[in-house]
């Protein structure tokens, strides 16, 4: 009983002493010098294991220099953070540049010889 209480107390102390999660971090590549490949907001579940915390200004510099923003947490559009202007394509801003192209024609379903009734196969 005492060991269970001691273990719970240690776990609680560990939770209290855990450092705060960074507000931003950069996911690092595997090449020479491990360049940053993606910027994430803190707490993003899609980040890889190779990462390092960065301050807001560095995250903004990385995004402005062309480093990709995570498509899941979207740190470049996170509320409460200064937005970076990213080039808006016609579908991102909701405007269409013209009429939509017609849908491609539907193909007939494939029929195999095995699906035909017996006696209608090859002679």
């Amino acid at each position: 009983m005492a060991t269970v209480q001691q273990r719970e107390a240690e776990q609680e102390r560990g939770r209290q002493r855990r450092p705060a999660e960074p507000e931003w971090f950069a996911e690092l590549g595997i090449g020479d010098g491990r360049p940053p490949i993606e910027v994430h907001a803190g707490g993003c579940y899609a980040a890889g294991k190779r990462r390092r915390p960065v301050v807001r200004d560095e995250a903004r510099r990385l995004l402005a220099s062309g480093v990709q923003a995570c498509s899941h947490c979207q740190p470049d559009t996170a509320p409460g953070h200064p937005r970076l202007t990213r080039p808006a394509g016609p579908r991102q801003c909701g405007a269409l540049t013209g009429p939509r192209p017609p849908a491609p024609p539907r193909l007939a379903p494939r029929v195999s010889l095995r699906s035909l009734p017996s006696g209608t196969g090859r002679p």
Side-chain angles (χ1 to χ4, degrees):
M1 184 76 157
T3 58
V4 172
Q5 290 175 346
Q6 181 182 1
R7 186 181 314 137
E8 289 175 357
E10 288 173 357
Q11 289 175 349
E12 183 60 31
R13 278 194 305 268
R15 275 186 234 121
Q16 291 173 353
R17 293 180 182 173
R18 180 176 291 147
E21 189 167 308
E23 188 175 5
W24 302 89
F25 55 93
E27 186 175 349
L28 304 174
I30 58 174
D32 186 31
R34 296 172 34 150
I37 57 171
E38 204 167 45
V39 176
H40 297 270
C44 179
Y45 63 90
K49 293 184 180 186
R50 295 178 314 269
R51 56 186 171 186
R52 68 175 170 88
V54 294
V55 293
R56 178 184 302 196
D57 289 336
E58 185 178 356
R60 293 180 71 202
R61 272 194 310 274
L62 289 171
L63 290 170
S65 69
V67 174
Q68 186 176 10
C70 174
S71 61
H72 297 274
C73 65
Q74 299 177 346
D76 54 343
T77 60
H81 300 294
R83 292 183 177 205
L84 291 176
T85 57
R86 90 160 64 154
R91 302 219 186 254
Q92 289 176 346
C93 67
L96 294 175
T97 57
R100 290 188 177 199
R106 294 186 181 248
L107 300 175
R110 290 185 151 187
V111 178
S112 70
L113 294 177
R114 293 183 184 155
S115 66
L116 295 175
S118 63
T120 60
R122 294 185 185 175

